Structures are given as C-alpha cells and as structure tokens.
C-alpha cells in the first residue's frame, strides 16, 4: 500500500536500499523568484509527511511556499507576515521550521523562545529601525552583544 505524499515531496531510494524523502521546489517557481531551499526530509515518513501525508516537515515547508506564492500573486496576507530573505526576521522564522527547534526545543520552552526572538526582532537601533528588518550580515558581533545586553536588561529588570 502506497502512502500519499504532500506536494513537492519526492521519494528516492538510497544506495543501501531504504527510502528517503525530499522537498523539491519545481524549476517553474524558481524562475518566478522562489528562493526557498530544497531540502532532505529524512527517512521517516511520519517526520517528513506526518500522518496520512498531511503534516510533518513538508506541511511547514508547503505553508511557507504558499505564503510566498500568495504574496507573489498579490493576494492580501497578514501584515508583516512575509519576512524579507536574509533578514533577522527571516532567520528566526526559518529557525522555527528547523529540526533544531521543532524536535529539540520542548513545547514547554517554546513560548520563552518565541518571546525572546520577538523581543530581538522588535528592538530598534539608534536610527529607529527594527532589528528584525536588518540583513543578517549587518549585525556585527559587537552589535549582537549590544542587542543581547539590551534584552537581558529588559527581562531582568
């Protein structure tokens, strides 16, 4: 019996005989400017595709794709929901979809992580610009230390 696959998920047989799942954006959308990374989803169907092909990591990636595609077509979305590629907002958004967050950060700790990430993104620099809107490369180690100190002083006092 074959299991259903979410959109953009491919199955490949590995050299050792097992199967692995991959998320692949079609070249058509690459030509339209989609910069989402293709990525391996692992060898577990449940982790990659969820129950009955309606969840897992693929569901998160497809939701990100849908958001990008709706924005590309000019459809209204939630204000500020699309984070510009390469910004601090984008970095934290990507992190929240990674295994390092979804599997390693306990559900009990996630609200704290979310709150700290939001505080960092909403902090403003001396020019009044949100840190979350800045490109990752703009944040030097010294600037990161200043942001850290600012957040620590807010949460501890």
């Amino acid at each position: 019996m074959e299991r259903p696959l979410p959109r953009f998920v491919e199955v490949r047989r590995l050299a050792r005989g097992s199967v692995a799942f991959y998320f692949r954006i079609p070249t058509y959308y690459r030509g339209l400017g989609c910069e989402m990374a293709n990525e391996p989803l692992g060898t577990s169907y449940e982790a990659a595709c969820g129950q009955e092909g309606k969840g897992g990591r693929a569901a998160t990636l497809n939701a990100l794709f849908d958001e990008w595609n709706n924005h590309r077509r000019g459809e209204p979305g939630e204000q500020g929901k699309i984070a510009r590629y390469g910004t601090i907002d984008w970095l934290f958004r990507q992190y929240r979809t990674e295994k390092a967050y979804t599997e390693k950060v306990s559900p009990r700790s996630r609200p704290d992580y979310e709150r700290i990430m939001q505080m960092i993104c909403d902090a403003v620099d001396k020019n009044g610009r949100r840190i979350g809107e800045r490109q990752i490369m703009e944040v030097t180690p010294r600037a990161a230390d200043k942001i850290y100190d600012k957040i620590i002083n807010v949460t501890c006092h």
Side-chain angles (χ1 to χ4, degrees):
M1 182 172 135
E2 236 176 84
R3 297 181 186 183
L5 292 175
R7 182 176 41 143
F8 305 143
V9 173
E10 298 175 356
V11 179
R12 294 192 183 162
R13 186 153 308 275
L14 301 176
R16 61 183 182 266
S18 61
V19 296
F21 301 91
Y22 294 86
F23 183 81
R24 299 272 182 239
I25 298 289
T27 55
Y28 172 78
Y29 294 108
R30 296 269 177 235
L32 295 176
C34 183
E35 295 178 342
M36 284 183 63
N38 292 330
E39 61 181 83
L41 301 176
T43 56
S44 165
Y45 177 82
E46 284 74 25
C49 306
Q51 296 296 325
E52 302 173 18
K54 296 183 173 148
R57 179 97 173 102
T60 302
L61 293 169
N62 273 311
L64 289 171
F65 171 80
D66 290 340
E67 190 174 309
W68 169 83
N69 200 31
N70 289 340
H71 181 71
R72 176 188 67 83
R73 292 186 302 208
E75 293 178 13
E78 291 181 32
Q79 183 64 27
K81 193 173 179 188
I82 300 282
R84 212 166 40 107
Y85 180 81
T87 61
I88 303 297
D89 285 328
W90 173 85
L91 176 70
F92 284 140
R93 184 158 175 234
Q94 286 299 114
Y95 171 66
R96 286 191 295 268
T97 68
E98 299 294 328
K99 285 183 182 179
Y101 183 78
T102 60
E103 293 180 10
K104 305 224 188 287
V105 176
S106 73
R108 182 175 172 212
S109 297
R110 287 182 190 168
D112 290 333
Y113 276 65
E114 295 287 334
R115 183 175 53 83
I116 296 296
M117 287 187 277
Q118 194 62 51
M119 288 174 74
I120 292 168
C121 288
D122 288 342
V124 291
D125 62 16
K126 61 186 173 191
N127 298 324
R129 186 173 167 206
R130 277 183 73 250
I131 299 298
E133 296 171 355
R134 305 213 36 181
Q135 289 291 312
I136 297 164
M137 297 299 290
E138 293 178 43
V139 181
T140 64
R142 183 170 175 221
D145 286 342
K146 286 181 180 180
I147 294 166
Y148 174 79
D149 288 341
K150 187 175 185 177
I151 298 301
I152 291 301
N153 288 331
V154 168
T155 58
C156 293
H157 293 90

